[in-house]
Amino acid sequence: MAATWTSHFQDKLPDILAELRTYVEMETPTHDKEAVDRLGEYIAGRFRSLGCKVDVIPQTTYGNQLRVEYGEGDEQIMVLGHFDTVKEVGTLKSEPWKIEDGRVYGPGTYDMKAGIVFCYYALKTIVEQNIPLKSKLVFFWNTDEEIGSESSEKWIREEARRSTCALVIEPAAGDGSLKTSRKGGGEFVLKVTGRAAHAGNDHALGVNAIEEIAHHVLAIQSFTDYEAGTTLSVGTIRGGSVSNVVPDYAEADIDVRISTSEEAERITTLMNQLTPILPGAQLTVEGGITKPPMERTAGTEQLFLHAQAQAQLEGFNLTERGVGGTSDGNFAADEGTLTLDGLGPVGDGAHASHEHVVIDAIPGRIAVLLRLFSSL
Ligand SMILES: [Zn+2]
């Protein structure tokens, strides 16, 4: 056995980067099923070659999801990640695979193809060195995380219910911290109907939908409560046609983030209680909070401390943090499953053109995964 697993994976870095390059150069925008399935087949083959049982869960709209099982026994831990990206096919032309200043750049490197590659190498070493496991490992590789896990949510929830804990291989927070809480959230759409009228001749007969929605925009913004971790942001607004007609329609999209399920309820109630201000106006509220918050519980803390101890064995310190963005970890946590997120790569630039992974941090991250896989 190597002095530390970190040095073992340090030696393997060229292979690890080559593997990641293969993933990155198969571009996988969520909506392009054919492209996503191409990488899916490759990933399935790689895990099969390690002796895993791979179930391909067929999907019609998005890519087929992969459920990858290794080991035996009644207890299982779930390892969660996705290989779809927000980057269109062809992004590689302007954002090519590139290694520069100790960083590897490319679409989907950080969010989160590297995470899957890390898991592959951790498992490969477990297999090759016959490292005993305490629980069965079930990897769930999702294909539609970037659009809210429409087709995968029910599978993720089902698998989480069977698992003693969920390890989410999403990117680490900026400084390498694990993510022990995530806000939940969703989107509301407010639709307002008024009455059209000539703005000059019949002003008094009109019901101005933009005037109506303006009242609600201010009200909705005021539901924000920073202390409770709740934010609402009216992000887009549309309405009206030409200036000399009193507009009969307006609508707004509202982004909502909450830190607790109580706040989710409070906001949902407030949104559904919006009532028209102008006589003759009508309101409809659509959408809702679709991602429950991932709350930091005493159990989460225990799991984090365990991960931190694994990192200490590798000679580095792991920290934790709560973040605003959601992931599939929110669904796992909502099933009451202990969830630790942000176990993937260190880097920056998710969804941006400077997306990259810090190469120096790769061996240590894989080492911690190996230790978690074999000790939980
Ligand atoms: Zn992601």
Side-chain angles (χ1 to χ4, degrees):
M1 188 168 93
T4 60
W5 290 116
T6 303
S7 63
H8 169 83
F9 292 114
Q10 187 73 43
D11 293 343
K12 304 252 182 255
L13 255 184
D15 292 349
I16 294 166
L17 290 173
E19 181 77 2
L20 177 58
R21 181 171 188 166
T22 305
Y23 278 45
V24 170
E25 293 190 338
M26 293 168 104
E27 296 175 287
T28 50
T30 315
H31 60 83
D32 190 339
K33 175 175 170 58
E34 213 176 295
V36 175
D37 282 344
R38 210 170 301 136
L39 178 57
E41 265 171 51
Y42 176 78
I43 296 174
R46 298 300 272 165
F47 280 86
R48 275 196 194 104
S49 75
L50 298 180
C52 296
K53 178 174 165 277
V54 179
D55 291 319
V56 178
I57 302 167
Q59 295 298 336
T60 47
T61 309
Y62 303 109
N64 301 329
Q65 278 109 30
L66 302 177
R67 181 190 183 279
V68 178
E69 193 180 300
Y70 183 82
E72 270 145 47
D74 300 329
E75 301 255 292
Q76 71 169 52
I77 64 175
M78 178 185 198
V79 185
L80 195 48
H82 65 91
F83 57 96
D84 61 322
T85 70
V86 297
K87 308 274 179 85
E88 292 305 321
V89 169
T91 303
L92 277 170
K93 286 195 199 88
S94 53
E95 299 171 28
W97 170 269
K98 178 177 78 176
I99 294 179
E100 210 176 86
D101 301 330
R103 297 165 167 183
V104 50
Y105 292 83
T109 43
Y110 177 59
D111 184 15
M112 57 148 279
K113 290 176 173 177
I116 301 180
V117 173
F118 290 3
C119 290
Y120 170 77
Y121 274 92
L123 184 62
K124 190 170 190 293
T125 301
I126 287 172
V127 173
E128 287 170 355
Q129 308 215 8
N130 264 314
I131 299 169
L133 301 183
K134 288 189 172 165
S135 316
K136 183 165 75 182
L137 296 171
V138 175
F139 302 89
F140 190 91
W141 301 139
N142 187 12
T143 56
D144 65 352
E145 196 273 345
E146 293 294 2
I147 55 135
S149 305
E150 218 173 90
S151 73
S152 53
E153 178 182 345
K154 70 168 197 257
W155 298 98
I156 292 165
R157 286 182 176 276
E158 199 175 293
E159 208 61 60
R161 277 198 294 275
R162 284 199 282 262
S163 305
T164 50
C165 66
L167 304 177
V168 188
I169 319 298
E170 284 276 355
D175 58 353
S177 290
L178 301 190
K179 299 169 177 176
T180 46
S181 68
R182 284 184 181 271
K183 287 190 181 185
E187 193 185 290
F188 285 96
V189 184
L190 174 63
K191 298 181 171 177
V192 176
T193 313
R195 194 184 315 119
H198 191 289
N201 299 332
D202 299 317
H203 189 278
L205 295 178
V207 178
N208 190 316
I210 293 178
E211 181 185 351
E212 173 71 23
I213 208 166
H215 287 286
H216 301 292
V217 167
L218 295 178
I220 289 165
Q221 291 288 128
S222 78
F223 298 159
T224 294
D225 179 345
Y226 290 127
E227 231 150 79
T230 302
T231 58
L232 289 92
S233 176
V234 178
T236 68
I237 186 158
R238 295 170 293 277
S241 51
V242 289
S243 68
N244 64 357
V245 174
V246 174
D248 65 351
Y249 186 74
E251 64 175 43
D253 297 321
I254 301 119
D255 178 279
V256 181
R257 312 277 164 155
I258 37 85
S259 295
T260 61
S261 33
E262 293 79 59
E263 280 293 286
E265 251 169 65
R266 178 179 79 90
I267 296 305
T268 305
T269 308
L270 283 170
M271 286 302 297
N272 289 317
Q273 277 173 353
L274 291 174
T275 42
I277 309 279
L278 303 178
Q282 282 178 327
L283 300 184
T284 341
V285 175
E286 291 173 4
I289 292 172
T290 45
K291 282 241 169 140
M294 182 178 115
E295 296 182 47
R296 185 185 186 281
T297 63
T300 322
E301 188 183 352
Q302 286 309 306
L303 189 55
F304 167 72
L305 290 173
H306 179 71
Q308 194 178 46
Q310 307 312 303
Q312 267 150 13
L313 292 171
E314 293 294 329
F316 71 99
N317 186 39
L318 261 186
T319 48
E320 62 165 318
R321 217 203 256 185
V323 292
T326 62
S327 85
D328 286 334
N330 292 63
F331 296 132
D334 196 44
E335 293 298 328
T337 307
L338 291 180
T339 303
L340 199 54
D341 204 332
L343 282 158
V346 179
D348 198 10
H351 303 195
S353 59
H354 65 292
E355 175 169 7
H356 64 266
V357 168
V358 174
I359 295 175
D360 259 2
I362 292 176
R365 303 299 283 197
I366 306 181
V368 168
L369 287 176
L370 181 149
R371 288 182 180 276
L372 285 173
F373 292 173
S374 52
S375 63
L376 288 169

